[in-house]
Amino acid sequence: MEFRRLGKSGLQVSEIGLGTNNFGGRTDEQGSIRVIDQALDEGVNLIDTSNSYSKGLSETIIGKAVKGKRQQAVIATKVFSPMQEGPNQRGASRSIIMREVEDSLRRLDTDYIDLYQIHFNDPDTPIEETLRTLNDLVRQGKTRYIGCSNFNAWQTCEAIHVAKSLNLEPFVSVQPDYSILNREIEKELLPFCQAYQIGILPFYPLAAGLLTGKYQRGQPIPEGTRLS
């Protein structure tokens, strides 16, 4: 397995990461743990999840799977999506982040998160509030690095600029949808990240399985596959 430095951070991550969106859903706990074990055995160290994947079950399963081998894993999780009904349940405000990071740490059964990411841009919360909160989490040792997901180029640029101007911890990575079928980030986001050394963690690099070779033109979709 080859490893790359994530952005300008000192964190080394495997070129292939493990996405866990289906853990606790389409893939049950036993099957999910087998996948994680196999990934770690193959040298994959980056495990990406979110507090919202299977309503927290994905994080819980990962916590069980890496028990006793936490140092082998680089755990990346996210915050933004609502975990329950009601106001102040969705977004990247201080109140939401401070609550959700504790819940993620509990589910993951760990005292720190390697990479804590804002899942989506929050138009209702000033980016300064979000960054100051994440900066506090880094200072408290609850997360090692911070990043974002599904941010446009200008949103990522704004976050980097605000962090630099206020001397706060910057995003070390951004996680966009990127594959040979979706190359939108090559227009602005990719050049920006290259210029400012922001790591890119593409999700759906195989277009949700469409590019794996199991789907053939003019033939029925195989049973049991994601696209079926």
Side-chain angles (χ1 to χ4, degrees), residues 72-133:
Q72 289 182 243
V74 173
I75 297 178
T77 192
K78 310 180 193 75
V79 60
F80 183 88
S81 301
M83 296 298 288
Q84 55 188 342
E85 299 295 329
N88 298 312
Q89 300 299 327
R90 175 182 183 274
S93 68
R94 172 173 286 271
S95 62
I96 291 173
I97 292 174
M98 297 299 284
R99 179 185 68 236
E100 291 300 325
V101 72
E102 297 296 340
D103 289 343
S104 287
L105 288 167
R106 174 180 51 78
R107 287 190 293 263
L108 289 165
D109 194 17
T110 183
D111 56 2
Y112 70 96
I113 294 165
D114 295 284
L115 177 64
Y116 200 45
Q117 304 159 101
I118 302 302
H119 210 156
F120 300 93
N121 178 65
D122 184 358
D124 298 320
T125 301
I127 190 63
E128 178 181 341
E129 177 179 336
T130 298
L131 290 171
R132 286 191 183 278
T133 306

Side-chain angles (χ1 to χ4, degrees), residues 3-206:
F3 294 85
R4 298 184 185 182
R5 189 161 64 99
L6 186 62
K8 291 191 290 187
S9 76
L11 193 63
Q12 297 285 330
V13 298
S14 50
E15 286 188 329
I16 298 174
L18 177 63
T20 63
N21 190 17
N22 290 323
F23 286 11
R26 291 186 66 247
T27 308
D28 63 18
E29 180 175 311
Q30 186 176 11
S32 299
I33 291 176
R34 285 201 304 269
V35 171
I36 294 173
D37 287 341
Q38 182 69 31
L40 293 175
D41 288 344
E42 295 291 340
V44 173
N45 72 346
L46 177 61
I47 302 175
D48 181 76
T49 187
S50 168
N51 65 335
S52 62
Y53 291 171
S54 300
K55 291 296 183 181
L57 276 177
S58 177
E59 288 184 329
T60 300
I61 290 170
I62 292 169
K64 293 179 179 179
V66 302
K67 190 76 171 180
K69 43 191 172 183
R70 175 67 178 88
Q71 297 303 315
Q72 289 182 243
V74 173
I75 297 178
T77 192
K78 310 180 193 75
V79 60
F80 183 88
S81 301
M83 296 298 288
Q84 55 188 342
E85 299 295 329
N88 298 312
Q89 300 299 327
R90 175 182 183 274
S93 68
R94 172 173 286 271
S95 62
I96 291 173
I97 292 174
M98 297 299 284
R99 179 185 68 236
E100 291 300 325
V101 72
E102 297 296 340
D103 289 343
S104 287
L105 288 167
R106 174 180 51 78
R107 287 190 293 263
L108 289 165
D109 194 17
T110 183
D111 56 2
Y112 70 96
I113 294 165
D114 295 284
L115 177 64
Y116 200 45
Q117 304 159 101
I118 302 302
H119 210 156
F120 300 93
N121 178 65
D122 184 358
D124 298 320
T125 301
I127 190 63
E128 178 181 341
E129 177 179 336
T130 298
L131 290 171
R132 286 191 183 278
T133 306
L134 294 174
N135 188 77
D136 289 345
L137 297 185
V138 174
R139 295 291 177 266
Q140 294 166 11
K142 294 180 180 179
T143 183
R144 300 292 192 252
Y145 302 96
I146 60 174
C148 60
S149 176
N150 297 294
F151 273 44
N152 294 327
W154 74 265
Q155 293 164 341
T156 309
C157 180
E158 179 187 32
I160 295 298
H161 172 71
V162 170
K164 183 177 181 179
S165 64
L166 298 176
N167 197 30
L168 301 173
E169 288 289 328
F171 289 152
V172 301
S173 62
V174 59
Q175 190 172 134
D177 186 350
Y178 184 44
S179 71
I180 61 172
L181 295 184
N182 182 1
R183 301 173 61 179
E184 182 67 24
I185 71 168
E186 294 178 3
K187 295 179 180 178
E188 294 185 357
L189 182 61
L190 185 55
F192 169 78
C193 290
Q194 288 175 324
Y196 288 87
Q197 294 180 274
I198 310 300
I200 294 180
L201 299 174
F203 68 84
Y204 288 164
L206 296 176

